[in-house]
Structures are given as structure tokens and as C-alpha cells.
């Protein structure tokens, strides 16, 4: 199961805004289609955005000029345009930068060759992402004990990556190993990635699970009903500060107060070691109607109510127990250990 398919040089994706009511597959036929799919969260989740954007550059290039100079200019413009689709998840910029390097290396070659090298790179990024999920699951599962009750936030599974996921891949592996776990999924307001997407995934995989409203987490922790927290990341700075779905920071504060281990699961492509700390991570601000309305339809506030809608928040690394990466589990001191582990050759 995955939520993108590349077949016969065509790109298809599962429209995540329709889940769980409808499993609607769409085709991405142009640069504009891909841009809108990312911006409107039809495709979402940090690693998947990167993979999808890379394929989208190939799809867009099919319509570019047959004149070399113009073709190269159009390629650059397409990549720059896709970079403006969403600002926080660094995987988008990481994947597009890989394409920039491929184009640079092949700029003297024919247009045909450049297109085929772009496609090859997109396919490599896709295949690597599947492998990264598998590796994170392998390291993360060792942190789970029999009978653990695990809280997660947003969606970090096969809808958010090309493989089994980040945090959810760990959970799926623990379930396969009969660890007898129970998952609590935060609904994740305002766009409900938890109750719509994570719950849908958990249901498909038949994992014992319970959805809670975001404001119920504190009381569950107080009643000692949560043993561990596992969630994903959209960008991790050099000191371990982590940007993830809005509401992550409050969970980290609660976990710290209740002495509950708090684990972030993310591949190396989510680390941005150029940024010293979380205060340099750009936070996406989304439109007010996402808060004013439910499922884009029914108003639940007065129509012109002022609202705030930051899509992500920053969790300071001192609240994180460990970061599970594809290269191993990283413990504090994060600045030193992230550099050591993430720069390790595979
Ligand atoms: O706005 P979204 O739905 O793209 O946000 C996704 C998250 O915050 C995930 O937790 C994150 O991408 C990491 S998991 C693959």
C-alpha cells in the first residue's frame, strides 16, 4: 500500500483530503497539478512531499521546450516554483536539490538524456524512502515493550511516506512482532490527519487503537494510560529542535511533566544541519477557513472570526528523549550525536 504510483511514465496519487470517506486516485498531469496537490494537502507528510515533487518535475518536463536553453530555464523555474508549495518540511527542498545537481551534471547532454536522468533520480529517491522507513522501524521497535500503550500525533504512516512510515512504521513492526500494543491517535485539529488518516491506516492494519481529541491527551497521561509517545518530524535542526504538526510541542511538555518517554522518528532527509536551532525553521501559516470550517464545508465559528492557523510548532530538543533515524537511535547531547550519526556513511 502506498499513496503514489508511477506507472508507464504517469504519476497517480491518492487524494488524502477525501479520506476516510472516499479512496480517490487522481493523476498528476502537469506542474500546476502537482503544486496544487502539495499545497492543498492532497499529498502530504514530509518524506512523501519530497518524492512526489521529484516525480512532478519529470511530469512537468514532458511539456517543456525542445530548445535546450529554454528547456533548462523551464526546468529551473519548475523546481523553484515547487519549492514555494510548502515551507516547513525540508524533504521537499532536499529532493529538489538532488534534481538540481542531476541537471547540473548533465547540462551538456541531450534533452532526452536529462529527462531520463531526472526520472532515474526520482525513482531512486522513491526507492530509498521505502528503505529508510524499514530501517527506522528496525531501530525504533527495540524501544517498545510488550503491552505498551503509545500515543501518536498527526499521520506518519504509509500515507505520509513511500514505505510504512516513520513513527507508524515502528508501530506496525511492533504489531507484527506481537508486542500487544495499543495506539492512541490524536485527532490533530484543524485538518484531522489523526482521526481521518492515522485511524484509517490503523484500521486497515487491524491495530488495536483509539482516537482521542487533542485536548484529552493530558488527562490520559495523568491517569497513567500512556507509556510512550512516538511521532514524526518535518524538519530537525542541528541541535535536535524539531518542527512537527501543531500540537507536538504541547505533547512534549506534557510528556516531560508526566515523565513519559517522547520519541521522534525521522529519516536523515528530514534533518537540516545548516540550521543551528529550531528558531530558524520556517513555520507554515495556513488559511483561516481551515479553522473556521470542518472538512472545508460547515462553519463552526462566526464566518469572519479572526483565527490563527500555524501548521507546525517547534519542540525544543531538551523535551525529546531520543530521535529514531534510519542510521540509529540518537540520544542527547543532540548537537554532537546528530552530527556523528547523520553524517555516518551507510
Ligand atoms: O501538514 P502535514 O499533514 O503534511 O503534516 C505532516 C506531519 O506533521 C507529520 O508528522 C510529518 O510529516 C512527519 S511524518 C512522515
Amino acid at each position: 500500500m502506498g499513496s503514489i504510483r508511477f506507472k508507464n511514465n504517469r504519476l497517480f496519487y491518492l487524494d488524502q483530503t477525501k479520506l476516510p470517506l472516499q479512496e480517490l486516485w487522481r493523476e498528476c498531469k502537469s506542474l500546476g497539478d502537482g503544486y496544487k496537490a502539495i499545497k492543498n494537502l492532497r499529498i502530504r507528510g514530509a518524506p512523501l512531499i519530497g518524492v512526489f515533487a521529484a516525480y512532478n518535475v519529470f511530469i512537468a518536463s514532458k511539456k517543456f521546450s525542445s530548445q535546450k536553453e529554454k528547456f533548462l530555464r523551464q526546468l529551473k523555474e519548475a523546481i523553484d516554483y515547487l519549492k514555494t508549495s510548502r515551507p516547513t518540511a525540508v524533504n521537499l527542498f532536499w529532493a529538489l536539490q538532488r534534481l538540481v545537481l542531476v541537471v547540473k551534471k548533465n547540462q551538456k547532454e541531450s534533452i532526452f538524456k536529462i529527462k531520463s536522468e531526472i526520472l532515474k533520480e526520482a525513482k531512486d529517491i522513491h526507492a530509498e524512502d521505502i528503505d529508510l522507513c524499514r530501517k527506522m522501524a528496525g531501530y525504533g521497535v527495540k524501544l517498545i515493550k510488550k503491552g505498551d500503550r503509545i500515543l501518536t500525533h498527526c499521520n506518519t504512516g504509509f500515507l505520509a511516506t513511500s514505505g510504512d512510515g516513520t513513527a507508524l512504521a515502528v508501530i506496525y513492526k511492533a504489531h507484527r512482532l506481537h508486542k500487544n500494543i495499543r495506539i492512541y491517535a490524536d485527532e490533530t485539529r484543524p485538518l484531522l490527519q489523526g482521526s481521518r488518516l492515522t485511524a484509517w491506516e490503523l484500521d486497515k492494519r487491524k491495530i488495536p487503537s483509539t482516537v482521542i481529541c487533542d485536548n484529552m491527551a493530558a488527562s490520559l497521561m495523568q491517569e497513567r494510560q500512556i507509556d510512550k509517545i512516538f511521532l514524526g518530524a518535518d524538519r530537525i535542526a542541528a541541535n535536535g529542535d524539531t518542527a512537527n504538526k501543531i500540537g507536538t510541542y504541547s505533547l512534549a511538555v506534557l510528556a516531560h511533566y508526566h515523565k513519559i518517554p517522547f520519541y521522534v522518528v525521522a529519516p536523515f532527509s528530514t534533518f537540516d544541519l545548516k540550521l543551528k536551532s529550531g528558531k530558524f525553521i520556517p513555520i507554515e501559516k495556513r488559511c483561516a477557513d481551515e479553522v473556521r470550517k470542518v472538512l472545508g464545508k460547515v462553519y463552526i465559528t462566526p464566518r469572519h472570526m479572526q483565527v490563527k492557523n500555524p501548521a507546525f510548532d517547534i519542540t525544543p530538543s531538551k523535551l525529546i528523549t531520543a530521535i529514531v533515524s534510519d542510521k540509529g537511535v540518537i540520544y542527547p547531547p543532540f548537537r554532537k550525536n546528530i552530527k556523528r550519526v547523520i553524517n555516518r556513511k551507510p
Side-chain angles (χ1 to χ4, degrees):
M1 183 73 206
S3 54
I4 62 174
R5 284 180 199 152
F6 188 80
K7 231 176 151 191
N8 301 329
N9 282 351
R10 294 166 69 187
L11 178 60
F12 301 91
Y13 65 96
L14 183 60
D15 181 345
Q16 299 191 25
T17 62
K18 302 286 180 212
L19 289 171
L21 299 176
Q22 200 187 352
E23 291 181 31
L24 176 68
W25 283 85
R26 293 183 187 271
E27 181 171 2
C28 171
K29 292 184 180 167
S30 66
L31 179 65
D33 276 357
Y35 179 89
K36 274 191 244 147
I38 297 173
K39 192 162 187 68
N40 298 336
L41 270 59
R42 288 175 176 172
I43 269 290
R44 44 144 304 280
L48 195 67
I49 293 171
V51 176
F52 182 78
Y55 277 126
N56 190 213
V57 173
F58 170 75
I59 297 293
S61 76
K62 290 191 199 177
K63 293 185 184 158
F64 290 170
S65 172
S66 53
Q67 197 259 323
K68 180 78 171 288
E69 219 171 288
K70 189 164 178 203
F71 173 82
L72 288 174
R73 198 171 60 243
Q74 285 174 319
L75 259 185
K76 185 183 175 313
E77 284 167 4
I79 290 174
D80 288 345
Y81 181 56
L82 284 173
K83 282 184 188 166
T84 64
S85 56
R86 293 192 76 187
T88 304
V90 75
N91 311 61
L92 171 70
F93 306 95
W94 169 83
L96 291 174
Q97 186 55 24
R98 278 180 61 161
L99 297 191
V100 169
L101 296 179
V102 164
V103 175
K104 199 169 164 200
K105 191 168 155 212
N106 292 282
Q107 59 189 339
K108 299 245 155 58
E109 305 289 345
S110 68
I111 289 180
F112 179 80
K113 168 85 171 157
I114 296 173
K115 281 188 197 169
S116 60
E117 288 299 316
I118 288 174
L119 180 56
K120 182 180 170 303
E121 192 70 4
K123 285 183 173 172
D124 283 353
I125 293 170
H126 191 182
E128 283 168 30
D129 190 41
I130 297 172
D131 192 46
L132 296 176
C133 294
R134 199 182 44 75
K135 288 181 173 148
M136 287 182 281
Y139 288 115
V141 80
K142 295 183 185 139
L143 301 167
I144 295 181
K145 286 210 187 86
K146 262 201 155 157
D148 269 350
R149 295 152 306 168
I150 298 169
L151 176 66
T152 191
H153 190 65
C154 196
N155 171 263
T156 64
F158 57 78
L159 292 170
T161 63
S162 322
D164 254 4
T166 57
L168 276 186
V170 174
I171 284 163
Y172 293 145
K173 180 139 194 173
H175 180 70
R176 281 199 299 276
L177 296 178
H178 307 290
K179 291 213 177 199
N180 199 18
I181 51 174
R182 166 159 293 275
I183 306 307
Y184 287 91
D186 268 349
E187 65 175 352
T188 317
R189 277 278 291 151
L191 296 181
L192 305 174
Q193 286 93 331
S195 55
R196 291 189 305 106
L197 309 179
T198 299
W200 181 79
E201 284 198 27
L202 292 168
D203 187 52
K204 281 215 176 277
R205 295 270 174 116
K206 301 200 175 355
I207 310 237
S209 41
T210 306
V211 169
I212 59 167
C213 300
D214 298 327
N215 50 6
M216 295 172 187
S219 124
L220 260 73
M221 290 187 205
Q222 189 179 44
E223 291 167 3
R224 308 310 302 169
Q225 291 192 54
I226 304 291
D227 300 300
K228 277 162 198 157
I229 296 172
F230 276 82
L231 36 70
D234 286 81
R235 199 186 289 222
I236 302 176
N239 69 343
D241 289 354
T242 293
N244 191 48
K245 180 53 57 194
I246 190 79
T248 300
Y249 172 44
S250 39
L251 289 180
V253 173
L254 286 170
H256 184 73
Y257 181 79
H258 292 284
K259 300 191 174 39
I260 296 170
F262 185 92
Y263 297 111
V264 171
V265 187
F268 79 93
S269 49
T270 300
F271 288 76
D272 188 352
L273 302 188
K274 292 188 307 302
L275 303 187
K276 272 190 171 164
S277 76
K279 75 170 185 235
F280 300 105
I281 300 178
I283 298 293
E284 179 179 10
K285 310 280 187 303
R286 294 189 62 87
C287 79
D289 271 356
E290 289 181 353
V291 175
R292 292 187 192 126
K293 293 180 182 176
V294 174
L295 297 179
K297 293 190 182 95
V298 184
Y299 277 97
I300 52 168
T301 67
R303 277 174 191 254
H304 301 294
M305 196 68 205
Q306 279 196 24
V307 300
K308 281 196 184 290
N309 189 13
F312 302 96
D313 58 25
I314 306 289
T315 299
S317 59
K318 65 179 172 212
L319 298 177
I320 297 171
T321 309
I323 303 174
V324 180
S325 79
D326 53 291
K327 300 191 179 186
V329 180
I330 311 174
Y331 289 95
F334 284 120
R335 192 180 293 285
K336 180 167 143 245
N337 290 341
I338 285 176
K339 207 165 153 196
R340 184 175 54 78
V341 175
I342 294 304
N343 288 333
R344 196 184 279 158
K345 291 273 166 285

